[in-house]
């Protein structure tokens, strides 16, 4: 039990320090009852001790109740975290795991350093339920409603073991033994309850497909911190793994996914943080995982991620969803239990790195790579109108990709996707129709400056056209800050502190009149033009100061239109003019790195 003692000592030392840091914040929360009222905002719920919020290392969400394990106690809240009651005390034995039966929410199990305990009356009374010679680090209950549950354990004689009970803990049978480390992770497939995954310290990932009769090792015997099975598609399994761990100095954890039920594994897109400790998947296949001190959501199976809120919990140990209200997500941390209300308006509601276009029907994300072998980073998104928005990679003032989704159903029965690039970095654009679940992926290789128009992107459905656009985002500008030679007058962009004046005109036919395009600034470097409708972005232009690189100002433009147009850029300090012409039918992105 040397490792167990070290774990406990580290936990107590860390938790004590966290408690001291959180005393003031917890005291503020005690002044008002926590309520999960606001969307995408974490709320500290408790439980509390004399010094503030208690560290929570285990959690279970049952019908109408939250159970939290802190030290040797189990706390229960039946009003969403407003009030907490201590319902179980394991004396000197820490509570390492908690589990509840979805079909019988009154039944709750606690795994401790002295076996399993069970309550059949929502935690009011408890009784020993076996395995008293084992330290029980993980519990999993068959979500299908049977009396089957599994326990992952460790003792000093036989090492790690997996036990199974078919009678709610009355009797147990050892189905796997002599593992070199702790079994800290268990996950049961809700669609195939005889399929169970296990993992832990020096265990790797194990799987049984016959209820524990036979087991197979799927990975190296490294450290596995979490396993989550997609309830909508059991072939998708997620695992948090640390490939090299000379305890307690472990290398950073990483999130992996299997597309074939665990047979093969690969790293998913890198989350923006070194340490990942918890993962959970909801019924709509949305994946939630923490990275460092933030929690992120992914709607494309881990390809791209969005933070669900700016203020996020500290040191997440468990993530759990409410079985009755899946829009409620809970996080057990070393500073108490946090709760958050997510996705009230449907699948496209995660802010920060996601564009929600056409009334939220279409979700757009962009992931970019600095090198072909490097990690993929989620690009922050900025909405411009109900039909369009842009993404930036390195700097908020530097627009890189503009995307719009138009309702072309009245013309060809489809929604259309356009994007125009002002960057030749490698990136991937993903557009998802949240009404049908269909996804379109567009990949821009490194060195390519592309504009794309997909007028067959998404077919219409019975629901008809999406809500009408509500108009573009507008900006208030101080005209006194610009030189007299460049005044933003509705058809002129003034970029780089007004030094560069940009105007655009377009023609509907070769013999038709030339029409002035309307200009809308986005940042100090970038703006866009619209031709026919103020919610329909047609052309994005930016001017960058590249003098530290090659002594020139650079001009980029990306088109979301194949109309014939002319761009005129004037350096108001020198009088030099650059003109760019786009032929009819051409969808262009251009980078002129020697413009001025």
């Amino acid at each position: 039990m040397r490792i167990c003692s070290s774990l406990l000592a580290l936990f107590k030392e860390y938790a004590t320090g966290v408690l001291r840091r959180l005393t003031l914040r917890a005291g503020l929360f005690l002044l008002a009852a926590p309520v999960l009222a606001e969307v995408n905002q974490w709320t500290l719920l408790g439980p509390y001790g004399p010094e503030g919020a208690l560290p929570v290392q285990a959690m279970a969400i049952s019908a109408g109740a939250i159970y939290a394990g802190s030290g040797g106690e189990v706390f229960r809240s039946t009003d969403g975290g407003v009030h907490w009651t201590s319902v179980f005390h394991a004396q000197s034995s820490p509570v390492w795991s908690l589990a509840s039966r979805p079909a019988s929410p009154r039944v709750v199990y606690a795994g401790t350093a002295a076996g399993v305990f069970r309550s059949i009356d929502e935690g009011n009374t408890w009784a020993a339920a076996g395995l008293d010679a084992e330290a029980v680090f993980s519990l999993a209950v068959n979500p299908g409603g049977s009396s089957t549950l599994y326990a992952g354990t460790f003792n000093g004689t036989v090492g790690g073991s997996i036990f199974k009970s078919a009678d709610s803990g009355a009797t147990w049978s050892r189905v796997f033994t002599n593992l070199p480390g702790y079994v800290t992770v268990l996950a049961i497939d809700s669609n195939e309850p005889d399929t169970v995954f296990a993992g832990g310290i020096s265990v790797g990932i194990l799987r049984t497909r016959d209820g524990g009769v036979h087991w197979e090792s799927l990975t190296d015997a490294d450290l596995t911190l979490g396993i989550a099975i997609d309830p909508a598609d059991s072939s998708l399994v997620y695992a948090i793994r640390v490939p090299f761990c000379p305890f307690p100095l472990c290398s950073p954890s990483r999130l992996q996914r299997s597309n074939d039920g665990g047979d093969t594994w690969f790293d998913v897109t890198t989350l923006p943080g070194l340490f990942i400790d918890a993962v959970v998947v909801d019924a709509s296949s949305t994946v939630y995982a923490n990275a460092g001190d933030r929690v992120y959501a992914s709607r494309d199976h881990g390809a791209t991620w969005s933070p669900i809120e700016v203020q996020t919990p500290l040191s997440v140990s468990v993530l759990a969803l409410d079985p009755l209200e899946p829009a409620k997500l809970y996080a057990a941390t070393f500073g108490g239990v946090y709760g958050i209300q997510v996705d009230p308006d449907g699948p496209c509601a995660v802010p920060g790195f996601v564009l929600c276009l056409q009334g939220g029907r279409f979700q757009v994300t962009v992931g970019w790579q600095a090198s072909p072998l490097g990690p993929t980073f989620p690009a922050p998104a900025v909405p411009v109108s109900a039909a369009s928005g842009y993404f930036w990679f390195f700097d908020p003032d530097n627009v890189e990709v503009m995307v719009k989704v138009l309702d072309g159903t009245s013309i060809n029965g489809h929604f259309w996707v356009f994007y125009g690039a002002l960057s030749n970095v490698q990136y991937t654009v993903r557009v998802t129709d949240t009404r049908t679940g269909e996804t379109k992926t567009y990949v821009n290789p490194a060195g390519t400056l592309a504009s794309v128009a997909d007028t067959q992107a998404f077919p219409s459905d019975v629901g008809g056209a999406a809500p009408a656009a509500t108009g573009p985002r507008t900006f208030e500008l101080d005209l006194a800050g610009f030189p007299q030679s460049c005044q933003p007058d509705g058809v002129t962009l003034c970029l780089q502190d007004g030094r560069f004046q940009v105007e655009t005109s377009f023609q509907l036919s070769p013999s038709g009149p030339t029409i002035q395009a309307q200009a809308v600034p986005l940042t100090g470097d970038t703006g866009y033009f619209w031709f026919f409708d103020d919610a329909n972005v047609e052309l994005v232009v930016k001017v960058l100061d590249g003098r530290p690189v090659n002594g020139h100002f650079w001009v980029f433009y990306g088109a979301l239109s194949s109309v014939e147009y002319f761009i005129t850029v004037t350096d108001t300090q020198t009088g030099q003019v650059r003109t760019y012409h786009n032929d009819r039918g051409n969808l262009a992105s251009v980078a002129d790195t020697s413009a001025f």
Side-chain angles (χ1 to χ4, degrees), residues 33-385:
V35 179
L36 297 187
E38 296 191 44
V39 175
N40 294 322
Q41 179 174 326
W42 288 105
T43 303
L44 177 59
L45 302 176
Y48 295 99
E51 295 183 318
L54 295 172
V56 176
Q57 73 272 10
M59 181 173 59
I61 311 297
S62 184
I66 308 170
Y67 296 90
S70 178
E73 286 187 270
V74 176
F75 293 85
R76 181 190 66 198
S77 175
T78 57
D79 54 11
V82 177
H83 303 92
W84 293 86
T85 304
S86 177
V87 294
F88 175 70
H89 198 289
Q91 299 177 352
S92 61
S93 174
V95 176
W96 292 113
S97 54
L98 290 167
S100 62
R101 280 183 58 188
S104 301
R106 293 175 61 84
V107 180
V108 186
Y109 299 92
T112 77
V116 177
F117 291 81
R118 181 184 63 204
S119 173
I120 59 173
D121 56 5
E122 298 179 301
N124 292 316
T125 60
W126 295 77
L131 303 184
D132 55 329
E134 304 286 333
V136 180
F137 288 97
S138 55
L139 289 168
V141 182
N142 186 345
S146 73
S147 301
T148 301
L149 68 153
Y150 294 82
T153 73
F154 184 89
N155 71 38
T157 302
V158 299
S161 297
I162 302 171
F163 288 83
K164 177 181 179 180
S165 174
D167 50 15
S168 300
T171 60
W172 294 87
S173 59
R174 196 189 303 262
V175 294
F176 203 109
T177 192
N178 293 321
L179 289 165
Y182 299 74
V183 181
T184 59
V185 180
L186 287 168
I188 301 176
D189 187 342
S190 59
N191 301 305
E192 297 289 343
D194 283 339
T195 298
V196 183
F197 291 84
I201 300 174
S202 300
V203 172
I205 301 177
L206 307 173
R207 179 184 63 193
T208 177
R209 288 175 166 170
D210 52 15
V213 178
H214 302 92
W215 291 83
E216 53 188 327
S217 178
L218 305 177
T219 66
D220 295 333
D222 48 23
L223 172 60
T224 302
L225 297 176
I227 299 174
I229 306 169
D230 189 331
D233 184 355
S234 298
S235 65
L236 299 177
V237 187
Y238 299 84
I240 302 170
R241 300 181 61 211
V242 181
F244 176 68
C245 186
F247 186 84
L249 301 175
C250 296
S251 57
S253 53
R254 61 189 185 186
L255 183 64
Q256 294 190 325
R257 186 182 78 223
S258 172
N259 295 334
D260 49 20
D263 290 337
T264 58
W265 298 85
F266 61 92
D267 291 347
V268 301
T269 299
T270 302
L271 283 162
L274 292 178
F275 295 98
I276 306 166
D277 303 297
V279 61
V280 68
V281 188
D282 70 11
S284 68
S285 297
T286 297
V287 187
Y288 297 96
N290 77 299
D293 292 343
R294 305 190 71 177
V295 176
Y296 293 79
S298 175
R299 301 186 182 284
D300 50 15
H301 311 302
T304 58
W305 296 87
S306 301
I308 60 177
E309 210 271 328
V310 175
Q311 179 188 352
T312 48
L314 298 173
S315 305
V316 174
S317 56
V318 181
L319 287 172
L321 294 157
D322 190 322
L324 296 183
E325 298 182 76
K328 289 184 178 179
L329 176 67
Y330 296 90
T333 80
F334 285 124
V337 173
Y338 284 76
I340 194 169
Q341 182 84 25
V342 293
D343 296 347
D345 299 320
C348 192
V350 179
F353 291 73
V354 178
L355 280 180
C356 296
L357 305 180
Q358 290 291 346
R361 172 167 177 172
F362 294 94
Q363 169 186 294
V364 186
T365 60
V366 172
W368 61 275
Q369 289 179 285
S371 66
L373 299 179
T376 300
F377 299 98
V382 180
V384 172
S385 73

Side-chain angles (χ1 to χ4, degrees), residues 15-27:
T16 300
V18 172
L19 280 175
R20 293 194 186 102
R21 294 194 298 271
L22 294 179
T23 297
L24 176 60
R25 186 169 68 177

Side-chain angles (χ1 to χ4, degrees), residues 558-582:
L560 295 87
S561 173
S562 58
V563 173
E564 183 176 4
Y565 56 83
F566 301 85
I567 303 171
T568 302
V569 185
T570 302
D571 184 341
T572 61
Q573 287 188 9
T574 65
Q576 186 180 5
V577 177
R578 291 284 186 183
T579 301
Y580 306 90
H581 173 228
N582 184 76

